[in-house]
């Protein structure tokens, strides 16, 4: 019931006319609101409906900070009624009364008692502390509350009270009301990303380190994981532009709705079903209708886009809940008919979400005496055909409408634990309904459907019946597996010869919409879980550290078995099932997520000797399972890899049966879809990243699977440290199965770190394997240049150094197959001979000289192969060895004749001068000038400084060298200003007077005498040619520049004895030739007469 709109009682929320009063209390009565506030409010609530704050920043290049603050300020909800709605379902007590049970009333009381403090708003995130008085004799409680909001709606809440109700707790209410009523008192900051953007690198590093230091116990593992992902090229985090900011509001594609804890609602529905409360179904109907009205459903359908993962998960859970409701063993027929009618109506809606994945609605029934043929393709074809019809998330619930509980065999299974063939008497019992041990089976129904019955019984408060049916299903699975193994043994030879198989399981159980394996496991584990009272016997372990504890509970009628062992067996049976990867990104993502959820359940179980025996038995069966097991000897090309499951099994088995652990993990290293696409020896298509999904359009999660494969390999390498036999076996598996160089490089780095612990001697075998993996990466990526190659090469040299000098010399001697000439000459040879490397190796004189000789040989080979880039590094490395240095110099001379560019020749020439070899520098400079050509208009040519340096060098050496270089200058340079500049420099002092000159002249050379007279004539001719060229297309705005150019020309003309006369004739010629350019010629007369 809504409260009266006219006035508000003491405990009621503010109406619309009052909601802005708290935020705008400072505004005087009758004073108009500021235009900035009016605009910011509009952006915050209405315009932001389509374009959130993110687009404000994208549309305008720079949003002033005051404007940003006002938008953020007005983005918080302003109506107390909305807070009331989501905290108390809008319930209001009668006028003048208060109900202390209502969270809104309790929150209002906390606010009025001053219990809220330390309120801070950072962007779209509000936080604060709320103090609540304790019970008599107990201290008060302090709760930290966090609220995220966007477009005037609260989108998520968090409170230290761990409220498990459907709606907001009183502490969230108190903080929200404080922000509405005392908005001006709240400290307001812009989103944290805005603050970070103002920091430089040092400030950012200090910020991160102080943050980690302050919360290292909570965030250090996460910080290290993020750092590793950022440093790994091709990781998911590097494929996303920017980074998330929890204080910056939602993105354009994100949901914008009031926070309601869907998980809690689902748990509440299940709890109602368990208590057989009819309100459970009623609440589920309300939820479903509300979610079907989500406007995004129609938008997603129009755009052909998939819904968000959170929405997808919500709809999956709704579908599963409806299966539980329809399968209810105690509902009335008319109730079920009404629900089915509703579901049928919803199912026909265009906006009703479809079920993801290509899962069959009419899968094979549990049949213990029949096993599908591993060589048959009928199952695969049938599976593909099953994907043609339209199946919504309600399809399975509608299908459940045809199921019932009246089957006599099912009734006897559920009725007691002692049901056996002997009890059927003359009732016409079917002996095939029991296994050879006389335990009941449940046949004739698809496995996921049978498991849905277990989940339904458990959800509706029949835990014992759920366990009995689960036991019958497990008996059936065991018998079915036995027949599958017998079938495989008969065809094993034929299948091994083929080396491949078709999929034998029509649909995977892990990731299935009904989550059959999870249903069975949770039902079994629930029966083994220790009660909370038992856990409370350990007071030292707080709730955050408390681990779920399980105990063995015997299975009635099955001596020696426990529900805990059955849960482990079922989980491994489902996880180890060979199954095809389903269609669609979400369905594949769900397979991964479901697999991780099951393994998380198993990791909660402490393995005792009894469970280890189960583990060993199941591992053996998985290895022998052939095409029915993901660990079998033959695999379907597109079957789901077993890496994550194998890692759990490897870790669990290793202390008890290392041989079995390694066999299982090595078998699981396969990634069949890549084995057929990339035969051994074929290079990776994108060498430094994971294989892109466009090569395999169905495999959206291929990068994730490759990462899991790498993690399994890393676990084996770490465990095999100190065991050369297993290390080499693991290395062979890695080289055969991992095709991503980036992941191979990460493995090599991890192995090197593991092999060289601080304060302990290194493991030479593991170091050698790290080096071998690094060498493989070098070979795979040799033809792909990227910044990561330099990092890899440096690491490889470092790893070889850890092993010893022979390893270092080996990579130098075999560089052709590992490195480019540039990498070998500038990184390998240089890094391998640095002082730090030599000190690390602790070599004697002879061995040190051997290493140096190897490095020099490498450098010379690189210089011959790529003189442009390697000649100078080779010369530098060979400086201390005369013969090697001469060889490197000769390589440069030979390369000059073969086309080595003038820029490289000038660089080496300058190096020679620096080394004190001016004649060799002069020789190389003349070779460079012979290749150079500078046109009349290239006065800013990049080689200008090199030419001037070469001229200065020749002048300092003497008249002979200067005379020899003049013809080269005249032939190579046609730029008049450059020629005149060189001429003036040579006339300033006598040749041979420089520090390198051996022969000295008495006085400076004259420009009108040899050898400079030739250069003067060339300069004058260049000015004349350039002038005519410029005048051909000159525009009035360039007249001034041309007059300045003539001024410089006159200076050069005047260096000749008859220069004045030549320049006058030149000007007269210009005036006659270009007399049509009257304004220009007028300027010429004014300046030069």
């Amino acid at each position: 019931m809504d409260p009266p709109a006219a006035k508000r009682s003491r405990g009621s929320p503010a109406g619309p006319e009052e909601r802005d009063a708290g935020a705008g209390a400072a505004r005087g009565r009758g004073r108009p609101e500021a235009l900035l506030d009016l605009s910011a409010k509009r952006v915050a609530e209405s315009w932001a409906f389509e374009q959130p704050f993110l687009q404000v920043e994208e549309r305008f290049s720079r949003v002033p900070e005051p404007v940003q603050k006002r938008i953020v300020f007005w983005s918080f909800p302003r109506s107390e009624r909305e807070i009331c709605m989501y905290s108390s379902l809008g319930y209001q007590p009668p006028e003048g009364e208060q109900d202390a049970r209502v969270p809104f009333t309790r929150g209002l009381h906390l606010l009025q008692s001053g219990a809220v403090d330390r309120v801070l708003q950072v962007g779209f995130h509000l936080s604060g502390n709320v103090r609540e008085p304790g019970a008599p004799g107990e201290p008060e409680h302090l709760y930290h509350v966090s609220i995220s909001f966007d477009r005037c709606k609260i989108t998520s809440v968090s409170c230290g009270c761990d409220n498990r109700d459907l709606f907001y707790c009183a502490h969230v209410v108190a903080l929200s009301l404080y922000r509405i009523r005392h908005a001006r008192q709240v400290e307001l900051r812009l989103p944290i990303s805005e603050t970070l953007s103002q920091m430089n690198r040092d400030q950012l590093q200090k910020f991160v380190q102080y943050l980690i230091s302050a919360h290292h116990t909570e965030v250090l593992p996460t910080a290290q994981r993020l750092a590793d992902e950022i440093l790994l090229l091709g990781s998911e985090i590097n494929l996303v532009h920017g980074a998330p900011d929890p204080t910056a509001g939602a993105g354009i594609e994100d949901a914008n709705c009031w926070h309601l804890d869907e998980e809690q609602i689902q748990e509440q529905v299940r709890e109602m079903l368990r208590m057989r409360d009819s309100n459970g179904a009623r609440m589920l109907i309300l939820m479903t209708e509300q979610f079907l009205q989500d406007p995004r459903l129609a938008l997603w359908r129009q755009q052909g886009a998939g819904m968000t993962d959170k929405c997808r998960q919500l709809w999956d859970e709704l579908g599963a809940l409806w299966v539980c409701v329809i399968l209810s063993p105690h509902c009335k027929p008319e109730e079920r008919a009404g629900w089915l009618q509703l579901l049928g109506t919803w199912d026909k809606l265009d906006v009703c979400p479809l079920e993801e994945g290509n899962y069959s609605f009419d899968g094979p029934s549990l049949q213990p005496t029949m096993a599908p043929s591993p060589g048959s393709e009928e199952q695969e074809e049938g599976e593909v055909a099953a994907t043609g019809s339209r199946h919504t998330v309600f399809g399975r619930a509608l299908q459940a409408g045809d199921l019932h509980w009246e089957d006599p065999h099912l009734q006897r299974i559920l009725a007691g634990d002692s049901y056996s063939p002997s009890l059927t008497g003359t009732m016409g019992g079917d002996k095939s309904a029991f296994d050879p041990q006389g335990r009941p089976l449940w046949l004739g129904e698809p496995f996921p459907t049978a498991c849905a019955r277990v989940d339904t019984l458990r959800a509706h408060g029949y835990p014992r019946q759920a366990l009995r049916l689960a036991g019958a299903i497990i008996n059936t699975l065991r018998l079915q597996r036995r027949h599958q193994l017998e079938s495989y043994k008969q065809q094993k030879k034929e299948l091994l010869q083929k080396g491949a198989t078709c999929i034998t399981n029509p649909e995977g159980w892990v990731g299935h919409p009904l989550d059959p394996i999870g249903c069975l496991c949770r039902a079994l584990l629930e029966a083994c879980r220790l009660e909370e009272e038992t856990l409370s016997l350990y007071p030292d372990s707080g709730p955050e550290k408390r681990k779920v504890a399980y105990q063995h509970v015997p299975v009635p009628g099955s001596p020696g078995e426990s529900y805990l062992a059955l849960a482990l067996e079922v989980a491994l049976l489902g996880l180890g099932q060979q199954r095809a990867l389903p269609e669609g990104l979400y369905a594949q993502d769900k397979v991964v997520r479901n697999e991780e959820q099951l393994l998380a359940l198993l990791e909660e179980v402490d393995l005792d000797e009894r469970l280890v025996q189960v583990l060993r038995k199941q591992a053996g069966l998985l290895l022998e399972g052939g095409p029915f097991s993901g660990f079998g000897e033959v695999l379907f090309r597109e079957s789901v890899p077993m890496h994550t499951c194998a890692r759990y099994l490897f870790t669990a088995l290793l202390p008890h049966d290392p041989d079995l652990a390694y066999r299982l993990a090595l078998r699981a290293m396969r990634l069949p879809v890549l084995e057929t696409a990339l035969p051994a020896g074929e290079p990776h298509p994108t060498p430094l990243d994971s294989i892109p999904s466009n090569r395999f359009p169905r495999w959206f999660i291929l990068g994730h699977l490759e990462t899991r494969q790498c993690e399994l390999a890393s676990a084996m390498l770490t465990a095999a440290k100190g065991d050369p036999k297993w290390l080499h076996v693991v290395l062979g598996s890695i080289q055969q199965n991992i095709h991503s160089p980036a992941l191979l490089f990460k493995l090599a780095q991890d192995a090197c770190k593991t092999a060289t612990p601080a304060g302990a001697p290194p493991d030479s075998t593991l170091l050698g394997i790290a080096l071998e993996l690094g060498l493989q990466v070098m070979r795979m990526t040799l033809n792909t240049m990227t910044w990561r190659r330099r990092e890899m090469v440096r690491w490889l040299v470092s790893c070889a150094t850890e092993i010893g000098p022979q390893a270092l010399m080996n990579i130098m001697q075999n560089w052709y197959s590992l490195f480019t000439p540039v990498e070998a000459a500038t990184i390998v040879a240089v890094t391998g001979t640095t002082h730090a490397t030599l000190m690390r190796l602790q070599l004697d004189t002879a061995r040190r000289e051997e290493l140096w000789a190897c490095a020099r040989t490498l450098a010379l080979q690189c210089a011959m192969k790529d003189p442009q880039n390697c000649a100078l590094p080779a010369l530098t490395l060979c400086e201390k060895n005369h013969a090697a240095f001469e060889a490197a110099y000769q390589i440069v001379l030979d390369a000059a004749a073969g086309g080595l560019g003038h820029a490289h020749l000038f660089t080496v020439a300058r190096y020679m001068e620096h080394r004190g070899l001016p004649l060799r520098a002069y020789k190389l400079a003349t070779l460079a000038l012979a290749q150079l050509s500078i046109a009349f208009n290239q006065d800013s040519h990049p080689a200008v400084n090199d030419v001037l340096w070469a001229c200065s060098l020749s002048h300092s050496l003497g008249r002979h060298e200067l005379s020899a270089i003049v013809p080269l200058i005249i032939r190579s340079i046609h730029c008049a200003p450059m020629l005149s500049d060189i001429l003036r420099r040579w006339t300033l002092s006598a040749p041979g007077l420089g520090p390198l000159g051996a022969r000295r002249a008495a006085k400076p050379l004259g420009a009108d005498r040899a050898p400079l007279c030739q250069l003067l004539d060339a300069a004058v001719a260049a000015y004349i040619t350039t002038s005519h060229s410029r005048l051909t297309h000159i525009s009035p705005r360039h007249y001034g520049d041309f007059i300045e150019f003539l001024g410089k020309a006159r200076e050069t003309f005047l260096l000749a004895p008859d220069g004045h006369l030549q320049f006058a004739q030149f000007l007269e010629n210009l005036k006659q030739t270009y007399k049509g350019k009257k304004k220009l010629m007028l300027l010429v007369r004014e300046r030069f007469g």
Side-chain angles (χ1 to χ4, degrees), residues 823-1083:
E823 291 169 343
T826 61
I827 302 177
V828 178
V830 173
T831 308
T833 53
T834 59
H835 179 71
T837 302
L838 297 176
M839 292 296 293
R840 174 73 177 161
L841 292 172
Q842 297 181 343
L843 303 177
D844 57 29
T845 305
R847 291 286 282 171
R848 182 174 293 194
E849 181 52 38
E850 184 181 2
L851 180 61
W852 267 108
C854 190
R856 287 192 292 265
T857 302
L858 164 65
L860 291 174
Q861 290 172 346
C862 294
M864 291 181 67
K865 196 163 185 69
D866 185 3
Q868 283 195 350
N869 298 303
C870 300
L872 186 57
L875 286 166
T876 305
L877 197 70
C878 298
E879 283 180 351
K880 297 180 180 178
N881 185 282
H882 178 71
F885 187 81
E886 290 299 317
Y889 176 63
Q890 189 58 47
I891 290 173
V892 176
L893 293 179
D894 295 342
L900 186 61
H902 60 80
H904 295 92
L905 286 170
F906 275 128
T907 302
V908 178
R910 286 175 178 266
Y911 162 78
M912 287 295 182
E913 183 194 33
H914 179 71
R915 286 271 298 143
L917 301 169
L919 292 178
R920 290 189 174 186
Y922 173 78
K923 172 67 173 175
L924 293 172
T926 58
L927 292 173
L929 283 171
Q931 297 185 14
L932 185 63
S933 177
I934 299 180
F936 71 91
N937 58 349
Q938 290 184 304
D939 48 354
S940 59
H941 192 281
V944 168
N945 288 331
D946 288 327
V947 172
L948 294 177
W949 166 82
C951 293
S952 175
L953 174 66
S954 62
H955 186 268
S956 66
L957 288 174
R959 183 181 182 122
H960 177 73
E961 287 77 7
L962 189 146
S963 299
I965 206 173
V966 166
L968 288 174
I969 295 291
I970 295 173
R971 187 164 57 247
S972 301
I973 300 171
H974 308 284
C975 178
M978 275 192 69
L979 291 172
S980 61
D981 189 16
I982 294 169
L983 184 62
R984 284 190 181 81
R985 289 169 183 262
W986 278 348
T987 57
L988 292 177
S989 61
L993 291 180
L996 302 176
R999 301 177 297 280
R1000 303 183 182 277
K1003 58 181 181 180
L1005 296 175
D1008 56 337
R1009 297 180 182 179
L1012 298 190
C1013 61
Q1014 300 173 8
L1015 185 59
L1016 176 59
D1017 292 342
V1020 168
Y1023 270 116
I1024 294 172
T1025 304
T1026 305
S1027 297
H1028 286 290
S1029 177
R1030 291 182 66 171
L1031 285 171
T1032 303
H1033 303 291
I1034 196 169
S1035 63
R1037 70 172 181 272
H1038 294 131
Y1039 286 173
D1041 294 338
F1042 183 73
I1043 297 299
E1044 294 299 321
F1045 177 77
L1046 288 181
K1048 294 178 181 178
R1050 182 172 62 176
E1051 294 174 3
T1052 303
F1053 272 78
L1054 293 179
L1055 292 175
D1058 58 345
H1060 183 76
L1061 181 59
Q1062 287 187 45
F1063 186 69
Q1065 292 174 348
F1066 169 56
L1067 286 181
E1068 189 61 31
N1069 185 28
L1070 289 181
K1071 294 172 185 177
Q1072 291 298 322
T1073 306
Y1074 302 100
K1075 57 185 177 181
K1077 301 182 183 295
K1078 297 180 179 179
K1079 185 176 180 180
L1080 177 59
M1081 293 303 110
L1082 179 62
L1083 293 174

Side-chain angles (χ1 to χ4, degrees), residues 578-589:
Q578 184 173 164
R579 56 199 185 272
L581 192 72
E583 299 283 353
L585 170 60
Y586 176 78
Q588 294 177 16
D589 208 34

Side-chain angles (χ1 to χ4, degrees), residues 681-709:
E682 182 179 321
H684 200 287
T686 50
L688 292 180
D689 298 313
S690 296
I691 294 180
S693 58
N694 56 13
R695 279 285 297 268
F696 306 93
R698 285 191 65 246
W699 288 67
F700 298 101
I701 58 170
L702 187 57
H704 175 86
L705 297 176
E706 285 187 288
T707 303
R708 292 293 175 265
Q709 183 188 37

Side-chain angles (χ1 to χ4, degrees), residues 26-34:
R27 202 168 63 238
R29 189 177 295 272
R31 183 187 303 172
E33 196 166 6

Side-chain angles (χ1 to χ4, degrees), residues 226-269:
L226 291 174
D228 292 342
E229 289 187 20
I230 289 173
L231 293 175
L232 179 62
L233 187 69
S235 64
E236 293 182 16
I237 200 171
N238 284 325
L239 298 178
V240 178
H241 178 69
D245 179 0
T247 68
I252 301 169
E253 70 284 354
D254 293 335
N256 170 235
C257 55
W258 282 88
H259 169 73
L260 199 61
D261 196 335
E262 293 95 346
E263 182 180 347
Q264 290 305 312
I265 294 176
Q266 294 154 13
E267 287 299 319
Q268 190 80 0
V269 171

